Amino acid sequence: MDYVTTLKILVIGESGVGKSSIILAFTTGDYNPSFPATIGVDYKCKVMEVNGVKVKLGIWDTAGQERYRTLTSSFYRDAHGAILVYDTSEPKTLAKLKEWVEELQVYSTKKNIVCLVVGNKIDKPRAVPREHGQAFAQKHRMLFIESSAKTNDGINLAFEELVQKIIETPGLWETNKSSDNIRITQQQWEQQEESTCYNNICTI
C-alpha cells in the first residue's frame, strides 16, 4: 500500500441529530434507522483520496448527551477537522451548536482546525431553513453542507470538502516534524486495523 496520511476528524453535535448514521453511511454506505445512541466515544476509519493525496481518516463520534461531556474533552486534542451536525427538522439542535463551537474552541489544540457545519435529515419535513444553517457557518467561518444519511445525499461530499480544505490549510496536516501526522506502512496499517476500537470509549 502507498503511504497514507492520517487525519483525525471529530463529529460533534446534540444526541439524535444523526452523527453515527452519517459516519456509517460514509464508511459503509449503509443506513440503520434504529442506530443506538453513542456511549462515550466511538471510532471508525476509512481511506479516501482527495486531489491526489491518499488519506486515512480516523473519525471520532462523540456522544451528544450532557452526561458524557466530561469523557470526551480529551478527544478534541490534535484533531485536524470537525463536523458539527444539526437536525434540519429540529431547530433547537442548530441553536445548541453554539455550545459545541465553544467547547471546540476550549479543547482543540490546533487553532487552524477546519470545521464543517452539516444540516442533516433533509429527507424529513424541514423546520430549519437552509439559510439559517449557512448563516451560522458563515458567522463562525466554517464550511456548510446539508445531507441525509438515510438517502446518502451529501455524505461523501461533506467529507471530501472537509479533507480538501484540511489539505489546503498550510501547516495543519503536513508530515514534517509533527508526531501526530504520520505516514504508515502496510505492516503498520494491518496492526492498526487489528487494534481498531469500534464502540464505547477508546483511547488515543
Side-chain angles (χ1 to χ4, degrees):
M1 177 180 291
D2 295 333
Y3 287 106
V4 179
T5 297
T6 302
L7 300 179
K8 181 178 181 180
I9 307 298
L10 305 176
V11 183
I12 59 180
E14 292 299 291
S15 179
V17 297
K19 300 185 300 296
S20 298
S21 294
I22 287 174
I23 296 173
L24 182 67
F26 175 64
T27 56
T28 69
D30 295 330
Y31 173 73
N32 183 354
S34 57
F35 209 105
T38 300
I39 299 175
V41 175
D42 193 14
Y43 175 81
K44 294 284 190 299
C45 60
K46 182 174 180 177
V47 173
M48 66 185 299
E49 186 170 325
V50 178
N51 291 349
V53 178
K54 185 178 288 186
V55 296
K56 177 183 178 183
L57 303 184
I59 307 169
W60 298 85
D61 179 8
T62 54
Q65 298 96 324
E66 186 70 31
R67 64 181 180 275
Y68 294 125
R69 290 291 182 88
T70 57
L71 299 176
T72 63
S73 61
S74 64
F75 292 90
Y76 286 87
R77 187 173 62 250
D78 295 330
H80 303 89
I83 296 177
L84 295 88
V85 185
Y86 70 93
D87 181 347
T88 58
S89 67
E90 291 288 346
K92 65 181 181 180
T93 61
L94 176 58
K96 279 288 201 175
L97 276 191
K98 180 181 177 181
E99 297 179 14
W100 289 95
V101 171
E102 294 171 351
E103 189 167 294
L104 186 64
Q105 292 171 340
V106 170
Y107 295 111
S108 175
T109 57
K110 291 183 179 294
K111 300 307 178 184
N112 54 352
I113 182 175
V114 177
C115 298
L116 168 71
V117 176
V118 174
N120 191 41
K121 301 190 181 182
I122 56 174
D123 55 280
K124 299 178 66 175
R126 179 185 291 274
V128 181
R130 179 184 179 90
E131 293 75 19
H132 290 187
Q134 286 178 319
F136 180 91
Q138 290 174 355
K139 177 181 179 180
H140 297 282
R141 305 181 71 177
M142 297 177 179
L143 304 171
F144 175 79
I145 196 171
E146 289 190 330
S147 71
S148 168
K150 183 176 182 179
T151 64
N152 211 27
D153 186 18
I155 298 298
N156 289 337
L157 183 59
F159 284 89
E160 288 170 3
E161 291 198 358
L162 181 70
V163 172
Q164 181 172 331
K165 185 63 175 179
I166 292 172
I167 293 173
E168 293 173 352
T169 303
L172 180 56
W173 67 277
E174 291 90 337
T175 57
N176 40 34
K177 296 181 180 180
S178 177
S179 60
D180 60 312
N181 298 312
I182 60 174
R183 292 186 179 274
I184 59 177
T185 63
Q186 174 67 33
Q187 181 180 6
Q188 291 172 314
W189 170 273
E190 292 173 350
Q191 290 174 346
Q192 287 196 22
E193 290 297 287
E194 291 174 357
S195 61
T196 297
C197 175
Y198 284 96
N199 50 54
N200 297 327
I201 300 173
C202 310
T203 56
I204 298 176

